[in-house]
Amino acid sequence: NISYQPPGILESDTPSLNKEMITAWMRYSHSRVVPKNYQHILALVFAVKEINGNPSILPNVTLGFQICDSYFNERMTHQATLGLLSIRDRFVPNYRCNMQKNLMAVIGGLDFDTSLHMSSILMIYNMPQLSYGSFAPDDQIQAPFFYRMVSNEAHQHTGIVELLLHFGWKWVGFLAVDNESGEIFLQKLQLLFAQRHICYDFSERIPKVTYIEEYINMQKKWIHIHQVIIKSKANAVVVYGEIFSMFSLQTLIGLGEMENMTHSSMGKVWIMTAQLDFASTSYQMREDIHVFHGSVSFTVPPSEVQGFKSFLQQRNIFQANEDSFLEHFWTQTFRCLFPDSNMEKRNSESCSGQEKLENLPSLAFEMSMTGHSYSVYNAVYVVAHALHALYQSKSKHRAVTEREKLKFQDLHAWQLHLFLQWVAFNNSAGKTVFLGKHKELNTGFDITNLVTFPNNSFLRVKIGTVDVMASPGMRVTIDENKVVWHHSFFQVPPVSVCNPSCLPGSSKKKKEGEKFCCYDCCPCPPGKVSPEKDMDVCTMCPEDHYPNKNKSHCIPKTINYLSLKEPLGISLAIFAVLFSLLTVQVLVIFIKHQDTPIVHANNRDLTYGLLFSLLLCFLCTFLFLSPPRKVTCLLRQVAFGSIFTITISCILAKTITVVLAFMATKPGSRMRKWMSKRLAISIVFYCSLFQIGLCALWLGISPPFPNQDTHSIFGEIILECNEGSATMFYCVLGYMGFLATISFVVAFLARKLPDTFNEAKFITFSMLVFCSVWVSFVPVYLSTKGKYTVAVEIFSILASSAGLLGSIFGSKCYIILFRPNLNNKEQLIKRKC
């Protein structure tokens, strides 16, 4: 014998129901009936009939059942549970006199509180309790005798969070029934919300009421909750409760609209938990439910059981049957009266018997098996298979030991636990039913979308699932193409956030005194991006990338260096080639006219050395125009410093030679012994050797190396040669400047010596140009970035070298080529007065 407790339906005991009990119950509950729960009873009856007609399960045994009502009331639940442990019509627990009936298991209840109240009594007897709708936590109901025909509620919590994150709903509202289960739900879900950065705008408790008088007394409370929901910016509202919580929600919406004198939609996405069901009491079946159009609901996955729909269609009020509930269900849903009914007539027509269940709105009755009915169906089969296994086990044992046939009346409920947990079978829907060590079915949840129609019917559209076996973060799958949203939303999917999302390129900044879901948006600082919406912080781009204009993503930087492939590099290269050719031409002129007085008078060997070093100065610019590699970086500054030092040393030697040549012409002068070529060569050699030593020290201590400059110019990676030691670089420049300064001073002092071919004045001017260029080079070099730094150095090399070439050799070439009459011995010895 199985006991079953459905909520909101009449108490019955097979095979019939006393009509006086119906009348008394109506006076007690004021016609507070949930017709939809009638399907739960029919699923129980259908399963029992199938089992009793199946010779392979419990052969020669009739499985019976007894149905009691909890009335959603603690006192009535305890009374009904104690009644199960008594004999019929006598409230005497533990007294057994009718051995034909043996209570082995209890199925129920639909809600948490009912299951909890039942377990407080059933646990004393170790009676198996199979919950078909309750998600009672393990720490609230003793696990050893409690079995769930649904998945653990923790999976539903995870599913709700992942659903909200899927649609980006991070600012939501809470409505939960005002009882212990509602408090547990809020605590656990709020913890998950905090972990996943979801906030709730409001958290209202729906009072748990059972009778109509209580609803009337709670009118102000309903209106208050309605105003909170209306004023909230949260478009997603999570609703947790039991089947009567749905009536409360309908009531507060209806009263709120009446108070506001408006029929405008609230424009919310209602996210219903699996405990809720879209059902109505008999007096609410014609209320408009269009406000719930587009709602999203977690449901226990149903399956279509073969023959169940035909079983429903066979319900006929005029046929003799054992269904004591049918007449009352018929009168409540079709609003008609039986000819011999004792109920008070309220302008109702007589029932014709032609009424069809399939014509009822979905609020009243659904022809397809619901998830809760499917759980009841499975629960009956689980008990039957466990009884069958228990009976076979005990029969074999008794046959061996006592040689007597075991009677079912000798079995006890506590013996069933060992078999309930490990029973496994395939039901008529082709699904495997197995509770396992956790004593629950891991079927997960379906996510359905509610589509309502004007006649108060609705259609559940499956839009996703919650797979309890999937890894966290991947348990919810949603097919957005199937989702239907409420017509009041102008944007779909609807937005439910505290404030508009921060677009890519900005990050969130917390508002003082507000929840973390409410924030301002701040643009990303330079060099940082935020590629996604609502990023907490902007991230730095890699060194080889830079932010785009909107700072939404990083773009690879272009690699750049001063090369012969760009206009600036080509221009500098052309000037270097032209000056090199000009230098070669001057050298050719001087070689061709090497025996002329003007070439002899200016130390021919130093002149050739100077011209050759100037040629190398022009050509070394191509080291700066080549790609920065290790070899070129090592050679650039060393070659530049060494060659220019040789050039300045030659000029210094020429200047000293001019001074010594003038002084040697004086009678009795001792300077003639210094007028050898060895002096000039020594000056050039030792001055250059010191610079070469500095360069060698530079290469030994901290040599130049290839480098990528990712910061100087936005959006570019400049390939350059890092000088290594800036001190050594400026020492090399400083030494060159020191030699140039000496040359300038000596030449300046000797500029007025009376010599027709006196170079001192030209050297003075050339050194003035040289020093001006390199003094200007230092600040410009420090202020430029990237390849333009290299361009500045090349320009300084070309300008200073060209200045030396033009200043020293320009006039000489002019005389040699265009005034040959001045290039003679007489002019050489001519003195100026």
Side-chain angles (χ1 to χ4, degrees):
N1 191 30
I2 305 173
S3 176
Y4 167 74
Q5 283 202 334
I9 199 70
L10 301 178
E11 181 180 3
S12 174
D13 203 9
T14 306
S16 61
L17 177 70
N18 193 308
K19 295 293 182 66
E20 294 179 0
M21 291 176 62
I22 295 178
T23 305
W25 183 88
M26 288 182 62
R27 288 197 302 268
Y28 176 76
S29 64
H30 295 276
S31 299
R32 189 69 183 278
V33 181
V34 186
K36 198 171 187 179
N37 288 350
Y38 179 52
Q39 193 193 90
H40 303 171
I41 295 178
L42 295 181
L44 173 78
V45 175
F46 180 72
V48 171
K49 284 189 174 183
E50 276 192 339
I51 293 169
N52 289 335
N54 188 346
S56 62
I57 306 177
L58 299 176
N60 301 321
V61 175
T62 300
L63 187 66
F65 59 89
Q66 183 178 357
I67 301 175
C68 297
D69 194 354
S70 67
Y71 300 103
F72 292 101
N73 180 277
E74 181 178 353
R75 181 177 64 84
M76 296 298 295
T77 300
H78 283 101
Q79 180 178 341
T81 305
L82 287 172
L84 295 175
L85 304 170
S86 305
I87 63 174
R88 183 172 178 175
D89 299 329
R90 296 185 63 183
F91 191 75
V92 185
N94 299 330
Y95 175 71
R96 297 176 63 188
C97 65
N98 187 354
M99 297 303 295
Q100 293 298 112
K101 294 185 178 182
N102 187 16
L103 183 64
M104 297 297 294
V106 177
I107 300 175
L110 179 61
D111 62 282
F112 168 78
D113 283 352
T114 300
S115 296
L116 184 63
H117 300 324
M118 291 168 59
S119 67
S120 63
I121 297 175
L122 297 176
M123 64 181 293
I124 301 173
Y125 299 90
N126 285 332
M127 181 70 64
Q129 181 180 351
L130 288 79
S131 171
Y132 72 97
S134 169
F135 294 88
D138 288 337
D139 57 351
Q140 296 294 318
I141 293 184
Q142 297 297 320
F145 68 91
F146 193 80
Y147 303 85
R148 296 181 179 88
M149 303 311 298
V150 293
S151 295
N152 196 300
E153 188 179 22
H155 302 307
Q156 184 174 215
H157 296 161
T158 304
I160 292 173
V161 171
E162 292 190 16
L163 173 71
L164 295 175
L165 292 176
H166 176 86
F167 290 108
W169 297 333
K170 294 190 174 183
W171 187 249
V172 300
F174 272 145
L175 289 178
V177 63
D178 192 9
N179 60 12
E180 188 175 0
S181 63
E183 185 64 33
I184 294 172
F185 174 82
L186 289 179
Q187 291 176 359
K188 292 187 175 181
L189 208 59
Q190 288 174 4
L191 179 61
L192 290 176
F193 276 20
Q195 294 173 354
R196 303 303 294 272
H197 304 289
I198 303 174
C199 303
Y200 60 94
D201 184 21
F202 63 87
S203 177
E204 293 292 333
R205 308 302 296 273
I206 304 175
K208 183 178 180 180
V209 292
T210 307
Y211 309 114
I212 295 177
E213 291 87 348
E214 293 175 318
Y215 276 84
I216 296 174
N217 295 334
M218 296 300 298
Q219 182 173 347
K220 290 185 178 180
K221 176 67 175 178
W222 301 135
I223 295 175
H224 165 73
I225 298 176
H226 183 272
Q227 292 298 318
V228 170
I229 299 173
I230 284 289
K231 294 177 181 178
S232 172
K233 294 188 293 184
N235 285 326
V237 181
V238 180
V239 184
Y240 175 89
E242 300 150 357
I243 194 166
F244 273 165
S245 301
M246 195 66 201
F247 310 149
S248 300
L249 185 58
Q250 290 178 265
T251 301
L252 75 88
I253 292 175
L255 289 175
E257 291 181 350
M258 290 174 60
E259 181 73 13
N260 295 335
M261 298 300 292
T262 176
H263 297 284
S264 60
S265 173
M266 297 182 73
K268 304 294 180 182
V269 179
W270 305 98
I271 302 173
M272 310 287 187
T273 56
Q275 294 90 329
L276 286 167
D277 193 7
F278 289 98
S280 292
T281 58
S282 57
Y283 72 87
Q284 284 181 314
M285 285 189 298
R286 285 165 177 76
E287 290 186 7
D288 186 17
I289 62 168
H290 188 64
V291 68
F292 299 111
H293 181 75
S295 298
V296 178
S297 177
F298 288 79
T299 60
V300 177
S303 291
E304 197 60 40
V305 175
Q306 295 181 2
F308 183 69
K309 190 171 184 178
S310 299
F311 176 74
L312 296 181
Q313 292 172 339
Q314 294 171 3
R315 302 292 94 191
N316 192 316
I317 58 172
F318 293 111
Q319 289 183 356
N321 54 62
E322 300 177 353
D323 190 347
S324 304
F325 302 100
L326 183 60
E327 179 179 338
H328 192 73
F329 166 79
W330 211 269
T331 57
Q332 290 292 319
T333 54
F334 291 106
R335 294 183 177 270
C336 63
L337 292 176
F338 284 75
D340 58 345
S341 174
N342 293 328
M343 296 183 185
E344 180 183 354
K345 293 187 178 181
R346 299 177 181 176
N347 300 322
S348 299
E349 298 180 356
S350 299
C351 298
S352 65
Q354 300 300 317
E355 298 86 3
K356 301 294 183 183
L357 291 178
E358 51 263 37
N359 294 335
L360 289 172
S362 304
L363 277 177
F365 196 82
E366 294 181 62
M367 292 300 292
S368 59
M369 180 175 279
T370 64
H372 289 147
S373 297
Y374 181 64
S375 297
V376 173
Y377 177 84
N378 284 332
V380 175
Y381 266 93
V382 167
V383 173
H385 279 279
L387 279 171
H388 186 80
L390 171 63
Y391 181 74
Q392 285 186 327
S393 174
K394 295 295 182 181
S395 295
K396 291 179 181 178
H397 177 74
R398 176 168 288 197
V400 172
T401 58
E402 302 179 10
R403 305 291 181 181
E404 293 183 10
K405 185 177 181 180
L406 178 69
K407 296 181 180 180
F408 257 94
Q409 285 75 14
D410 296 330
L411 300 178
H412 301 282
W414 60 266
Q415 297 173 319
L416 202 59
H417 289 291
L418 182 64
F419 300 91
L420 280 172
Q421 187 173 353
W422 302 108
V423 163
F425 60 92
N426 290 332
N427 60 22
S428 61
K431 304 293 184 180
T432 300
V433 179
F434 176 67
L435 296 178
K437 64 178 181 179
H438 297 297
K439 301 180 181 179
E440 64 186 27
L441 289 181
N442 286 325
T443 56
F445 298 93
D446 285 346
I447 302 176
T448 59
N449 187 214
L450 194 73
V451 181
T452 63
F453 301 99
N455 63 349
N456 266 16
S457 291
F458 60 81
L459 180 66
R460 301 178 193 265
V461 180
K462 182 179 177 180
I463 61 173
T465 58
V466 179
D467 185 1
V468 299
M469 305 304 294
S471 58
M474 304 293 292
R475 291 178 179 171
V476 171
T477 56
I478 301 289
D479 185 356
E480 293 191 28
N481 295 325
K482 294 183 178 179
V483 182
V484 176
W485 304 105
H486 199 278
H487 62 81
S488 62
F489 294 117
F490 297 101
Q491 177 182 349
V492 292
V495 177
S496 186
V497 292
C498 179
N499 47 261
S501 298
C502 290
L503 298 176
S506 60
S507 61
K508 297 189 294 186
K509 180 182 179 182
K510 187 180 183 303
K511 289 183 178 180
E512 293 296 330
E514 299 282 348
K515 294 183 178 180
F516 60 83
C517 289
C518 301
Y519 46 81
D520 294 320
C521 299
C522 298
C524 290
K528 293 187 176 182
V529 297
S530 59
E532 300 176 359
K533 291 182 178 180
D534 290 335
M535 291 193 67
D536 294 326
V537 293
C538 298
T539 57
M540 183 69 71
C541 283
E543 287 195 352
D544 57 347
H545 288 68
Y546 70 99
N548 65 337
K549 183 178 179 181
N550 297 326
K551 297 183 180 180
S552 60
H553 62 275
C554 296
I555 302 174
K557 292 182 178 179
T558 57
I559 297 177
N560 205 349
Y561 62 92
L562 188 60
S563 68
L564 295 171
K565 296 182 180 180
E566 57 180 296
L568 180 59
I570 294 173
S571 301
L572 293 174
I574 291 174
F575 280 110
V577 171
L578 292 177
F579 286 128
S580 299
L581 293 176
L582 183 60
T583 305
V584 171
Q585 189 174 4
V586 172
L587 182 59
V588 170
I589 293 172
F590 270 68
I591 293 174
K592 186 176 180 180
H593 299 85
Q594 61 182 336
D595 296 327
T596 60
I598 198 171
V599 177
H600 273 287
N602 292 282
N603 196 328
R604 182 171 56 190
D605 294 334
L606 282 178
T607 300
Y608 294 158
L610 177 58
L611 287 171
F612 184 73
S613 63
L614 284 174
L615 175 63
L616 293 179
C617 287
F618 289 123
L619 293 178
C620 79
T621 57
F622 288 97
L623 287 174
F624 292 88
L625 291 171
S626 59
R629 297 188 179 94
K630 186 174 182 180
V631 175
T632 55
C633 287
L634 290 173
L635 291 178
R636 276 185 182 182
Q637 303 297 353
V638 172
F640 155 69
S642 300
I643 294 171
F644 260 80
T645 300
I646 294 174
T647 304
I648 302 302
S649 298
C650 290
I651 295 174
L652 178 60
K654 287 173 71 67
T655 306
I656 293 175
T657 301
V658 170
V659 174
L660 291 176
F662 174 78
M663 295 176 67
T665 59
K666 291 182 179 181
S669 176
R670 297 180 181 180
M671 293 297 175
R672 291 187 178 184
K673 62 180 181 179
W674 297 100
M675 289 299 297
S676 63
K677 294 182 179 180
R678 294 180 60 185
L679 177 62
I681 295 173
S682 298
I683 293 174
V684 174
F685 176 76
Y686 287 110
C687 289
S688 301
L689 182 62
F690 185 82
Q691 182 72 296
I692 293 172
L694 279 178
C695 292
L697 182 63
W698 184 5
L699 295 178
I701 296 176
S702 180
F705 59 88
N707 183 46
Q708 292 185 352
D709 182 4
T710 59
H711 305 290
S712 296
I713 300 179
F714 182 77
E716 292 186 4
I717 299 176
I718 303 298
L719 300 182
E720 62 179 7
C721 289
N722 190 296
E723 309 306 341
S725 173
T727 302
M728 294 304 299
F729 173 67
Y730 289 110
C731 284
V732 169
L733 286 181
Y735 181 69
M736 289 168 48
F738 172 71
L739 293 180
T741 302
I742 293 177
S743 298
F744 173 75
V745 171
V746 174
F748 180 78
L749 294 176
R751 72 187 187 283
K752 295 184 179 181
L753 293 177
D755 188 355
T756 303
F757 299 114
N758 184 5
E759 286 189 297
K761 61 180 68 175
F762 303 113
I763 292 174
T764 302
F765 182 73
S766 64
M767 286 297 99
L768 182 61
V769 173
F770 183 88
C771 292
S772 299
V773 170
W774 287 105
V775 168
S776 303
F777 162 78
V778 174
V780 177
Y781 181 83
L782 294 175
S783 62
T784 53
K785 297 179 180 180
K787 61 182 179 181
Y788 299 105
T789 304
V790 181
V792 167
E793 189 168 358
I794 294 175
F795 176 81
S796 298
I797 292 172
L798 294 176
S800 59
S801 300
L804 293 177
L805 180 65
S807 301
I808 297 176
F809 297 100
S811 59
K812 296 179 178 64
C813 290
Y814 175 78
I815 293 173
I816 293 172
L817 296 177
F818 303 104
R819 301 292 296 274
N821 59 310
L822 299 177
N823 189 13
N824 53 57
K825 192 173 182 179
E826 289 75 13
Q827 289 294 329
L828 180 63
I829 62 175
K830 183 180 179 181
R831 305 286 186 180
K832 288 188 177 182
C833 295

